[in-house]
């Protein structure tokens, strides 16, 4: 499948991995928008949040909590965002959740 994030997971394209388990893979964003900017994605290819099921989302949530502690942003807080589709400005068609933290983030969401 011609999917950038599947290729990253397969090791065909380098990344800085921060977390992996049976269901989830997470790595640093190549163009970080905050001191901590991690992309958390399901190993199974699915296009976006509309294609996601509850079990997969539960695994993503567990991983996000673990990564937040690992990255040291659990105490001061962080933001998660998942862009979906054209109006959501999604640029890579494999579901991923941005985890942003390490500084005071802007109030604005859009
Ligand atoms: P989105 O626009 O929500 O689909 O987010 C895609 C994210 O993937 C962007 O924040 C990009 O900076 C990031 N990205 C694109 N290519 C790579 C890559 N090779 N390694 C790490 N992050 C990437």
């Amino acid at each position: 499948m011609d999917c950038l994030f599947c290729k990253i997971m397969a090791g065909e394209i380098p990344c800085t991995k921060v977390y992996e388990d049976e269901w989830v893979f997470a790595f640093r964003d190549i163009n970080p928008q905050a001191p901590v900017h991690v992309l958390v994605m399901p190993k199974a290819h699915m296009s976006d949040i509309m294609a996601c099921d509850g079990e997969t989302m539960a695994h993503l949530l567990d991983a996000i909590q673990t990564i937040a502690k690992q990255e040291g942003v659990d105490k001061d807080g962080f933001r998660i965002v998942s862009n979906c589709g054209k109006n959501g400005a999604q640029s890579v068609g494999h579901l991923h959740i941005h985890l942003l933290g390490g500084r005071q983030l802007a109030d604005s969401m859009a």
Side-chain angles (χ1 to χ4, degrees):
M1 186 182 299
D2 192 25
C3 168
L4 173 63
F5 285 178
C6 284
K7 286 180 180 164
I8 286 177
M9 237 181 318
E12 293 167 24
I13 294 172
C15 76
T16 305
K17 183 171 83 173
V18 299
Y19 177 86
E20 182 174 12
D21 65 26
E22 192 179 341
W23 303 278
V24 177
F25 190 92
F27 56 105
R28 298 203 188 282
D29 197 294
I30 204 167
N31 183 24
Q33 304 298 307
V36 173
H37 188 170
V38 175
L39 302 175
V40 187
M41 65 177 172
K43 284 188 169 176
H45 180 87
M46 54 190 78
S47 55
D48 58 39
I49 206 125
M50 293 303 291
C52 190
D53 57 274
E55 189 184 12
T56 301
M57 189 52 70
H59 291 309
L60 291 168
L61 175 60
D62 284 345
I64 285 166
Q65 292 172 343
T66 299
I67 295 163
K69 289 179 192 155
Q70 192 177 295
E71 295 290 317
V73 298
D74 55 314
K75 298 284 188 292
D76 287 342
F78 59 93
R79 178 174 293 159
I80 57 172
V81 176
S82 189
N83 296 325
C84 181
K86 183 177 79 66
N87 279 5
Q90 181 179 4
S91 63
V92 178
H94 182 129
L95 170 62
H96 52 282
I97 298 176
H98 298 254
L99 190 165
L100 298 144
R103 66 165 166 79
Q104 179 64 58
L105 300 174
D107 287 341
S108 164
M109 288 290 287

